[in-house]
Amino acid sequence: MGWNPISVGLLPHGYGNKFPAFLTWRGAVDLDIIDLMRPLFDKGLRPEALSDVLLEMHSKTYTRHYINYERKLELQNGIDISA
């Protein structure tokens, strides 16, 4: 991912606040995740636990999408891949 610290500031007026991520030198963090971090950490959730939860959520979403993709291929090609 390309990153430039000035890029969000160069967006037209009002669009910088709508940018969906906080950019760092290592990558980006979704603003919805940042909004979750403080209340969860205040309640005692450790950063490692949040990382594990996010990884699990990502893995489940990926798996669901992949299964849907396989089903679409199955319907498209008339092949039964479950056999």
Side-chain angles (χ1 to χ4, degrees):
M1 167 184 7
W3 180 74
N4 181 344
I6 303 170
S7 61
V8 175
L10 294 177
L11 292 172
H13 180 68
Y15 285 101
N17 293 337
K18 294 181 182 180
F19 194 73
F22 178 78
L23 302 175
T24 70
W25 67 275
R26 293 184 73 183
V29 179
D30 187 291
L31 293 178
D32 292 335
I33 300 301
I34 291 175
D35 291 342
L36 286 174
M37 290 170 69
R38 177 172 289 168
L40 292 174
F41 293 164
D42 284 348
K43 295 289 184 184
L45 186 73
R46 296 171 41 114
E48 296 83 9
L50 178 61
S51 176
D52 292 344
V53 168
L54 293 174
L55 180 61
E56 182 68 21
M57 290 172 59
H58 174 76
S59 297
K60 287 181 184 246
T61 301
Y62 174 82
T63 302
R64 285 187 197 113
H65 287 190
Y66 190 79
I67 290 171
N68 287 337
Y69 171 73
E70 289 288 328
R71 295 290 179 219
K72 284 180 186 177
L73 287 178
E74 182 180 291
L75 291 173
Q76 238 177 15
N77 298 329
I79 300 170
D80 186 12
I81 59 173
S82 61

